[in-house]
Amino acid sequence: MQSVVLGQEYFSQPPAQFITDIPFRLYNGGVVMVRAKFDDVPDSLNFILDTGSGGISLDSVTVDRLKIPTEVSDRTIRGIAGIKKVRFANNHRLRFPGLEVDSLNFHINDYEILTSVYGERIDGIIGFSFFSRYIVRIDYDTLQMRVYRQGTFRYPRGGFLLRPTLATIPITELRLRDYTTSQARYFFDTGAGLCLLLNDNFVDDSLLFDKNKKMYRTQAEGLGGKASMRLTTVKEVKLGPYRFRKVPTYIFDDEFNVTSYPYLGGLIGNDLLRRFNAYLNYQRREIYLVPNRHFKDQFDYAYTGLGFYFINGQIRVTDIMQGSPAEEAGFREGDIIIAINNNMSRNIQAYRSMLQQPGEKLKVMVVRREDGKIEVLTLKVINILK
């Protein structure tokens, strides 16, 4: 007897079409920076690639410098350090190599804090307004962003498919295990230069940590400025089938409800997510993760309690955590760092990397704000695992 197999008939999109490859750079914490041209401005601008952004934005200094017209709005944006109303620059274009994206409505924000963290002008942030139009592959092995027109798409073998909740920012589940085990939802946030950020109400309610868990006082930067935080580690983080052990984790008082607790427990940042090459397919509400060569990279367990920023061409000390190695070394607010271990490049990214080596004793040359004297301080980088 001959068998007959009937296929179900259905209509489908045409295959996704490759458009272009766009190079990017990585900042400390795995944050991605791409360059693009705005309208007919000849010079390229620097943009952070951020799945944690629900739109697309420009820095207020860049807007003023380029004399871009803006319009008042009643819309607000929310960040770790505040809520503010924003203006818009509507109906503009971004031009990448091989790709022009039009009809973009940029909200205007102050990114001075990001410029001072990374040591070069941050002109804006690219988020949902871009990702929602294409299929995007972020490849951390080649430092290339590959862009496709939307359509049917076949992911490579060897990965795992997340099906996030998606309004404008992807939300996915994560399991944490420390003193207790907790399963909760988190923002999938490539613009956050850390592994994991937890809402302190979530931490308290879930009883995730033992009451004697060691915590270090620190701070982090975000929309609206800086926020005080605590730094520790989580014994195990499980994303899909992938497990990471002893993951550095920040905990903060979410005064402005950025993490929408109790709906969310916090966010997953790009110092963890950069360990996968990611396919972002917002139209189908899919994120496909493939472990890359960074999958087993050591996490950053270093702690100094020293905060410094690139301000007016100088690397200036702004914060010293009480009881930290920075305080013990004798740093003072306003010190200007002119060298670390004879490196006088004033490259803040290089200096931050040097401070990520637990156990190191670094010779830091500073100019004192009070009298202009030069002093050399010995800073011991400690390990938060100990």
Side-chain angles (χ1 to χ4, degrees):
M1 179 179 177
Q2 188 174 12
S3 297
V4 178
V5 178
L6 299 178
Q8 182 180 3
E9 295 182 344
Y10 65 96
F11 293 101
S12 65
Q13 285 182 296
Q17 293 183 327
F18 167 72
I19 301 175
T20 189
D21 283 323
I22 301 169
F24 64 79
R25 288 169 47 201
L26 279 185
Y27 288 143
N28 291 115
V31 172
V32 175
M33 189 275 284
V34 297
R35 292 176 62 79
K37 292 185 177 181
F38 180 86
D39 286 350
D40 295 320
V41 175
D43 295 330
S44 294
L45 304 180
N46 297 333
F47 290 87
I48 300 295
L49 203 64
D50 186 6
T51 58
S53 166
I56 193 166
S57 59
L58 287 169
D59 176 53
S60 55
V61 173
T62 300
V63 168
D64 292 342
R65 176 170 59 86
L66 298 180
K67 297 180 172 57
I68 300 169
T70 63
E71 302 172 12
V72 176
S73 81
D74 58 359
R75 295 182 62 184
T76 59
I77 53 175
R78 186 186 304 264
I80 64 171
I83 303 172
K84 60 184 293 188
K85 283 189 175 182
V86 292
R87 300 173 65 88
F88 275 81
N90 292 319
N91 198 27
H92 291 278
R93 292 175 291 132
L94 276 186
R95 293 180 290 135
F96 302 92
L99 175 64
E100 182 173 300
V101 188
D102 60 14
S103 304
L104 291 169
N105 297 329
F106 294 81
H107 69 262
I108 314 305
N109 197 14
D110 180 358
Y111 294 130
E112 180 182 2
I113 187 72
L114 297 181
T115 293
S116 64
V117 167
Y118 299 122
E120 58 186 14
R121 169 61 54 192
I122 301 301
D123 296 292
I125 289 178
I126 294 173
F128 179 80
S129 299
F130 175 79
F131 294 125
S132 60
R133 300 188 186 194
Y134 305 98
I135 298 172
V136 178
R137 183 186 76 179
I138 305 176
D139 190 323
Y140 297 95
D141 291 326
T142 63
L143 299 182
Q144 295 274 338
M145 177 174 69
R146 175 160 285 198
V147 184
Y148 300 84
R149 287 190 177 87
Q150 292 175 337
T152 57
F153 193 87
R154 184 174 181 179
Y155 301 112
R157 293 182 178 179
F160 181 78
L161 184 64
L162 300 177
R163 296 188 180 274
T165 302
L166 178 62
T168 56
I169 300 175
I171 295 169
T172 191
E173 289 200 344
L174 201 65
R175 193 185 75 177
L176 308 182
R177 181 179 63 83
D178 203 274
Y179 180 67
T180 62
T181 299
S182 171
Q183 184 93 9
R185 294 175 292 264
Y186 297 83
F187 283 131
F188 185 103
D189 190 352
T190 62
L194 44 75
C195 289
L196 193 61
L197 177 64
L198 302 181
N199 181 303
D200 66 349
N201 289 324
F202 163 76
V203 169
D204 291 343
D205 290 349
S206 66
L207 301 177
L208 178 64
F209 298 116
D210 179 85
K211 63 181 180 179
N212 296 319
K213 183 81 172 185
K214 178 69 173 177
M215 303 276 180
Y216 296 85
R217 292 182 58 190
T218 186
Q219 65 181 21
E221 303 80 19
L223 178 61
K226 298 178 287 187
S228 297
M229 300 197 180
R230 292 173 290 159
L231 174 63
T232 188
T233 59
V234 171
K235 288 181 181 178
E236 182 182 87
V237 173
K238 186 170 183 286
L239 175 61
Y242 306 110
R243 299 173 188 266
F244 299 92
R245 302 189 188 281
K246 299 178 181 178
V247 177
T249 300
Y250 289 83
I251 303 164
F252 81 122
D253 177 4
D254 192 358
E255 179 182 358
F256 301 100
N257 200 28
V258 177
T259 53
S260 302
Y261 182 78
Y263 179 62
L264 303 178
L267 63 83
I268 313 165
N270 222 41
D271 204 19
L272 191 149
L273 297 175
R274 68 176 178 83
R275 297 157 197 273
F276 302 92
N277 293 335
Y279 294 77
L280 308 177
N281 192 342
Y282 278 26
Q283 184 185 48
R284 294 187 59 85
R285 288 177 165 77
E286 295 177 346
I287 296 177
Y288 188 73
L289 301 178
V290 182
N292 60 31
R293 62 184 177 87
H294 304 287
F295 185 78
K296 295 184 179 180
D297 281 0
Q298 180 87 347
F299 289 113
D300 177 13
Y301 297 118
Y303 175 72
T304 63
L306 181 67
F308 56 89
Y309 299 90
F310 194 80
I311 302 171
N312 297 326
Q314 299 176 327
I315 297 178
R316 189 174 295 272
V317 173
T318 57
D319 305 279
I320 302 105
M321 297 295 110
Q322 186 176 359
S324 69
E327 185 181 58
E328 293 178 6
F331 284 93
R332 301 174 195 159
E333 186 176 334
D335 286 344
I336 297 170
I337 298 175
I338 57 177
I340 299 182
N341 282 2
N342 298 319
N343 182 328
M344 303 184 72
S345 66
R346 294 195 305 174
N347 183 324
I348 195 168
Q349 296 290 311
Y351 288 177
R352 291 191 189 280
S353 294
M354 295 171 76
L355 267 62
Q356 292 176 334
Q357 306 300 320
E360 286 290 307
K361 287 187 177 181
L362 303 173
K363 298 296 183 181
V364 184
M365 186 179 296
V366 301
V367 177
R368 295 297 193 184
R369 180 180 63 178
E370 306 86 37
D371 53 19
K373 289 184 178 179
I374 295 177
E375 295 189 28
V376 177
L377 308 177
T378 300
L379 177 63
K380 183 177 181 180
V381 184
I382 66 172
N383 192 327
I384 63 173
L385 290 177
K386 296 180 180 179

